Amino acid sequence: MRTMELFAQLGLTEQIRRSALPPEATRFIYCDSIIGQEIARTPPMDAELSRLSPAFTCRTSQDRVHEVLYDAASRRHNVEIRTGTTVTDVTNHDYRATVQCANGEEIDGDYVIGADGVASTIRHALGIRMEGQPVLGYGHSIYWQGDLQKWVGGRQCIQFFTGDRAGQPASVASVDGHHRWITMVMSPGENRPEPLDEEAAELVITKAVGLDVQPHVIDIAVWRISAQVAECWRRDRVFLAGDAAHSFPPTGGFGMNTGIQDVHNLAWKLAHVLQGRASESLLDSYEVERAGIAWSNAEWSVRNGARIRQVGDAIRADDKERLHRLIEEQRSHVEALDQDLGFGYTEGTVVAPVRPEGGSPLLVARTGHRFPEATIRVDERWASSVLSFAENRFTLVTHDPHHWQSVTASQGIALAECGPSVLSGNAAALVRPDGIVAWVASGRDSIQQLSGIIEELLR
Ligand SMILES: Cc1cc2nc3c(=O)[nH]c(=O)nc-3n(C[C@H](O)[C@H](O)[C@H](O)COP(=O)(O)OP(=O)(O)OC[C@H]3O[C@@H](n4cnc5c(N)ncnc54)[C@H](O)[C@@H]3O)c2cc1C
């Protein structure tokens, strides 16, 4: 949901949703095979959750997201995309950083973001190690095409988990919900297995589907399952982001989402520094804030993976009571609210609250958390709060805008009005350009503190 909120700010959600699965497909189905007996399914997502965000969760394939982002980036006059350019090294200088390319070219920038994936050349060049669990096993993926519409019908889902009763587990993930699928089998152990050959891959597909659908295999891959976070996310003018900075098991769907949110955290800080509105040290809070989130998402994804295996054990043992309990628990995997919208920063570019703050961050403004979805008035217009924090400026949200007007104007802070409930009895919330609450003002007298707070946050 959070990533969709960021895409909504860029006006991209309509294109992304065009190829998405329907909302009811946000579930897992356990069955002997796709055409075989269904054993269990996770409960439907609570429809009430859509009130928490103007951009509800979306299940779509990563290649489609790439297409939409690539297209949007290439339309920007200040973006130049060089495909086929391999970076081989990076060097920090006093006021810039340079990447060296395989074709001999050198490209200079004020800053470099190494978002070059799990095997990151930039990370290696900087000598940054990964911490955590490097090998939790390996996954085989078979990306294939085949018409399952007749068999899947109205049972679209994130993944069918098949073969547990037969002791040959394989999952089938939906790519487009109709013709494109990824069948996955897990391989425990420390040693990287050889990729399946096409004949073995077709056999895995046939068993998982329950009949031979004459699949057209597009790609076969082996990938390492790990739960790791970089020991450091910045060396001078070079940052790491995305899989270059962290890797999780895919059980949770947070790899790409976390990477996108890393860069969202970093981008406004870089803009502030480059525009002379903040000092360089603002950039230190990037790692302080995001590394904790990456660890949390890594651990959560590992727990989800363990639960999927436990569900398989319960199915194999025909332990209905345990199965029922585990499937109920899996709601937190599918809905993922705490990781998705409830994440928070306790340190960084935030002002620690003087007294403990109560209430769910999904509903009330709490320091370090995303300002919850509410209708607020900014620049004379009432709109979704989440969609209003898209400009590169701080916003003070209060139910008493007249009281704060003069000080926000003098500080270049936008002023927004909201209902009192979202502030949970507090006077105002100072929201960063990335929609995170930096400070909660408890009383009307906090007005004197505001300029000092801004200075402290940006120094
Ligand atoms: C089976 C599976 C399922 C997954 N499901 C989900 C999911 O549901 N949701 C989710 O959020 N995530 C999911 N992920 C994780 C997701 O795919 C990754 O987290 C995401 O792709 C990371 O994005 P990235 O841009 O950081 O790295 P990458 O996608 O790896 O992109 C790195 C880019 O850098 C380029 N590059 C690398 N080295 C160089 C170099 N030296 N010079 C120039 N360019 C270079 C590469 O060509 C590539 O374009 C899944 C992963 C797997 C394996």
Side-chain angles (χ1 to χ4, degrees), residues 326-345:
L326 288 166
I327 292 285
E328 266 304 311
E329 281 178 17
Q330 236 177 4
R331 190 187 282 274
S332 66
H333 176 164
V334 174
E335 295 182 347
L337 273 185
D338 289 343
Q339 308 302 124
D340 188 0
L341 300 182
F343 68 92
Y345 308 136

Side-chain angles (χ1 to χ4, degrees), residues 248-397:
F248 322 138
T251 37
F254 263 82
M256 185 193 76
N257 285 298
T258 309
I260 287 171
Q261 292 167 40
D262 293 339
V263 180
H264 187 244
N265 179 292
L266 179 57
W268 74 267
K269 295 174 183 173
L270 283 173
H272 262 67
V273 171
L274 288 167
Q275 290 160 3
R277 288 193 270 165
S279 77
E280 267 260 323
S281 58
L282 174 65
L283 302 174
D284 291 335
S285 71
Y286 167 60
E287 173 181 340
V288 172
E289 294 178 351
R290 293 306 298 170
I293 300 297
W295 278 119
S296 167
N297 288 348
E299 285 154 16
W300 180 78
S301 305
V302 169
R303 282 201 298 279
N304 287 336
R307 197 187 301 104
I308 288 173
R309 286 190 293 281
Q310 289 164 4
V311 171
D313 292 344
I315 290 174
R316 217 168 8 262
D318 199 21
D319 185 341
K320 294 194 175 55
E321 208 179 299
R322 185 159 180 245
L323 177 61
H324 180 74
R325 183 174 51 76
L326 288 166
I327 292 285
E328 266 304 311
E329 281 178 17
Q330 236 177 4
R331 190 187 282 274
S332 66
H333 176 164
V334 174
E335 295 182 347
L337 273 185
D338 289 343
Q339 308 302 124
D340 188 0
L341 300 182
F343 68 92
Y345 308 136
T346 49
E347 288 178 88
T349 309
V350 292
V351 180
V354 277
R355 54 184 158 83
E357 296 172 306
S360 163
L362 304 178
L363 301 173
V364 299
R366 284 197 26 200
T367 310
H369 291 268
R370 156 189 170 278
F371 188 91
E373 169 61 358
T375 304
I376 64 170
R377 187 168 66 152
V378 201
D379 301 335
E380 300 306 315
R381 207 168 60 91
W382 288 93
S384 150
S385 54
V386 163
L387 302 182
S388 299
F389 303 128
E391 302 293 330
N392 193 28
R393 60 184 184 184
F394 279 74
T395 306
L396 191 90
V397 189

Side-chain angles (χ1 to χ4, degrees), residues 59 62 66 85-88 115-118 121 141 184 223 241-244 250 252-258:
R59 294 275 155 189
Q62 194 171 332
H66 275 180
T85 307
T86 301
V87 169
T88 52
D116 50 349
V118 73
T121 302
S141 300
M184 284 178 273
W223 38 274
D243 277 16
F254 263 82
M256 185 193 76
N257 285 298
T258 309

